[in-house]
Amino acid sequence: DGGITQSPKYLFRKEGQNVTLSCEQNLNHDAMYWYRQDPGQGLRLIYYSQIVNDFQKGDIAEGYSVSREKKESFPLTVTSAQKNPTAFYLCASLAVGFSNQPQHFGDGTRLSIL
Amino acid sequence: QKEVEQNSGPLSVPEGAIASLNCTYSDRVSQSFFWYRQYSGKSPELIMSIYSNGDKEDGRFTAQLNKASQYVSLLIRDSQPSDSATYLCAVKRGDSNSGYALNFGKGTSLLVTP
């Protein structure tokens, strides 16, 4: 089945620690996105990538980093510089040739501070 | 940043009634509009896309778009308790450098009472 797989489902971060959230897709989509959702809030864009080896900052990129070494994979690292990392993190993808189409989301990773 | 505004609710309707959810947006260049349903603790699930002015119907759902008024709405007919969720309005960013990312409203919480 084609889809977007995020792992882990739940993640805990200690003070001063970097953690990496995984996002893999087998849809052959060019573009991938990371969003953050806080309770009672909409989704906010962290980073996006339209092509391998290229990515752009979104609206709230501070304290996060990404890489796009393979088309299928777009991992997000939450660094120790992100002082309020507790949130629900969602990865999405899109076929660029169908840019007016909707994004579809993975099941998300819930990150909490220990 | 371009805004997407929704009434946070909760909107409470009796089973079998019509639920009406509204959304306004500020990006005049936007061309693609989406409604996602999000159950508590889950990722958003696409339920409707709309691109042209007017109405678009899919089963019990009707999306309405008025680009001149920058307004998009979702009607749910014959509401069921299983429709109880948060409904997110999403607007595709209109500028060419945005990577086709989405701007989200904060969501409207819908409660359908038996």
Side-chain angles (χ1 to χ4, degrees):
Chain A
D1 258 22
I4 302 168
T5 301
Q6 290 188 242
S7 62
K9 266 183 112 60
Y10 300 95
L11 188 57
F12 298 91
R13 195 191 89 171
K14 294 180 183 176
E15 193 79 32
Q17 186 182 40
N18 293 354
V19 292
T20 297
L21 285 60
S22 169
C23 178
E24 303 275 333
Q25 54 97 0
N26 60 4
L27 301 165
N28 199 33
H29 284 174
D30 302 287
M32 297 185 73
Y33 308 82
W34 276 105
Y35 293 89
R36 166 181 172 144
Q37 187 177 33
D38 294 281
Q41 302 295 314
L43 281 65
R44 292 184 290 165
L45 182 66
I46 305 173
Y47 267 99
Y48 64 93
S49 168
Q50 292 184 269
I51 195 169
V52 173
N53 292 322
D54 187 53
F55 48 82
Q56 305 296 328
K57 291 182 180 179
D59 304 316
I60 54 164
E62 187 174 347
Y64 300 97
S65 65
V66 293
S67 63
R68 186 85 186 277
E69 296 176 3
K70 298 187 301 182
K71 188 175 184 178
E72 303 78 22
S73 178
F74 191 40
L76 173 74
T77 296
V78 184
T79 74
S80 56
Q82 173 49 247
K83 297 307 179 189
N84 184 21
T86 297
F88 189 37
Y89 290 86
L90 289 154
C91 178
S93 71
L94 178 70
V96 170
F98 302 91
S99 58
N100 66 334
Q101 293 299 303
Q103 295 173 13
H104 293 274
F105 290 87
D107 288 339
T109 292
R110 199 166 294 278
L111 175 62
S112 303
I113 296 222
L114 274 179
Chain B
Q1 184 185 343
K2 305 296 183 179
E3 301 289 331
V4 178
E5 300 286 344
Q6 294 181 256
N7 188 327
S8 62
L11 172 66
S12 183
V13 301
E15 184 174 356
I18 295 176
S20 177
L21 306 164
N22 304 314
C23 172
T24 59
Y25 61 93
S26 63
D27 188 351
R28 292 193 162 275
V29 187
S30 295
Q31 297 294 320
S32 305
F33 307 87
F34 309 99
W35 283 98
Y36 288 85
R37 178 175 61 199
Q38 187 175 28
Y39 292 113
S40 181
K42 302 295 186 184
S43 69
E45 168 195 12
L46 178 75
I47 53 172
M48 287 290 283
S49 309
I50 188 165
Y51 308 101
S52 305
N53 281 330
D55 294 0
K56 178 183 177 183
E57 188 174 316
D58 183 1
R60 295 187 297 112
F61 299 99
T62 299
Q64 300 173 316
L65 175 61
N66 183 326
K67 290 183 183 179
S69 300
Q70 295 176 244
Y71 175 90
V72 58
S73 66
L74 179 71
L75 299 177
I76 306 174
R77 289 181 300 282
D78 188 24
S79 295
Q80 302 297 310
S82 59
D83 295 326
S84 298
T86 296
Y87 289 80
L88 300 170
C89 174
V91 176
K92 187 151 288 189
R93 299 185 183 196
D95 66 271
S96 57
N97 295 323
S98 68
Y100 312 112
L102 298 173
N103 286 328
F104 283 85
K106 293 182 179 180
T108 297
S109 175
L110 173 66
L111 178 63
V112 181
T113 55

